[in-house]
Amino acid sequence: FVQQFLHIQLFLGFAMAIASLVLYILLKNPYAYIDEETNVFNANYFRVWMRDRENHWKGSLLVVDFHNLEYAGYIYIGQTEKKLIVEIAEQLNKLGGNLPMFYVASNRFVYCSQDSSELTELTKKITYWLNQGVFIDNKNLKCRALLTEVDLEHTKNIKELKAYTDFLIRRALM
């Protein structure tokens, strides 16, 4: 009975509810900040996360850079590089526990913590894990990584942070 008299209003109300839901999902999609390959937070969310905490958050970052990882694809035929980065992300996520972890660039992960001793302990765990090797397709691969702890007092914004970590990594590789 109600539908005969109010069918236009019910249809418009339903259409507006669907449109609102679609807009909400597009604007507040939690999966927009998850890297599809590694299932950790991506570089876009790292920028947002840092911008939100830029002025009042005091802490440190642990940058884990797996340089020359792309050569695994040349040495081992197949999808080894992708499998390797996925395995690395899974292991780093387990080792980091509750610390926020971001996949910020090709072969580079970042942990954030307000307690630098927590990052020092994590550095020891990652170093031990890397010395054991990473198993991919029944192969034990030794991955080289550079671990750099960065105090956020040295950087004023996210662009300086990227330049600073790149500088530290290049300097360490010399």
Side-chain angles (χ1 to χ4, degrees), residues 13-25:
F14 179 73
M16 288 181 61
I18 294 295
S20 298
L21 179 67
V22 167
L23 280 173
Y24 177 77
I25 288 173

Side-chain angles (χ1 to χ4, degrees), residues 10 26 32 53 55 60 92 97 137 161:
L10 289 173
L26 288 174
R53 289 158 181 78
N55 296 325
S60 299
L92 289 178
D137 296 333
L161 177 66

Side-chain angles (χ1 to χ4, degrees), residues 27-95:
L27 296 176
K28 289 288 191 178
N29 184 359
Y31 296 105
Y33 292 130
I34 301 291
D35 182 67
E36 292 177 11
E37 190 175 19
T38 59
N39 289 325
V40 297
F41 293 123
N42 62 18
N44 291 335
Y45 186 59
F46 181 65
R47 285 186 207 97
V48 170
W49 194 86
M50 287 296 292
R51 207 174 304 120
D52 289 347
R53 289 158 181 78
E54 196 168 39
N55 296 325
H56 63 278
W57 193 75
K58 301 293 181 214
S60 299
L61 304 176
L62 177 63
V63 180
V64 184
D65 187 84
F66 291 89
H67 51 280
N68 298 332
L69 196 61
E70 63 273 3
Y71 293 118
Y74 300 133
I75 297 169
Y76 303 100
I77 298 173
Q79 298 291 322
T80 304
E81 183 185 358
K82 287 185 180 183
K83 290 179 188 175
L84 191 56
I85 204 71
V86 168
E87 180 64 27
I88 286 170
E90 287 176 10
Q91 288 298 322
L92 289 178
N93 212 4
K94 287 179 190 173
L95 292 171

Side-chain angles (χ1 to χ4, degrees), residues 92-107:
L92 289 178
N93 212 4
K94 287 179 190 173
L95 292 171
N98 294 330
L99 291 177
M101 184 177 90
F102 304 90
Y103 184 53
V104 295
S106 178
N107 309 334

Side-chain angles (χ1 to χ4, degrees), residues 109-166:
F109 295 88
V110 174
Y111 289 98
C112 304
S113 177
Q114 291 182 316
D115 184 11
S116 64
S117 64
E118 202 172 24
L119 293 179
T120 303
E121 188 63 33
L122 181 58
T123 301
K124 291 176 186 174
K125 289 179 186 178
I126 292 172
T127 304
Y128 177 78
W129 170 68
L130 287 173
N131 287 332
Q132 301 299 313
V134 181
F135 286 93
I136 301 291
D137 296 333
N138 297 322
K139 297 177 189 107
N140 186 3
L141 304 176
K142 296 286 184 173
C143 299
R144 291 178 35 196
L146 181 66
L147 284 74
T148 308
E149 192 171 332
V150 179
D151 189 358
L152 288 181
E153 291 181 22
H154 294 293
T155 59
K156 301 291 183 225
N157 62 40
I158 192 71
K159 291 178 184 172
E160 285 182 14
L161 177 66
K162 182 178 179 343
Y164 184 64
T165 55
D166 286 343

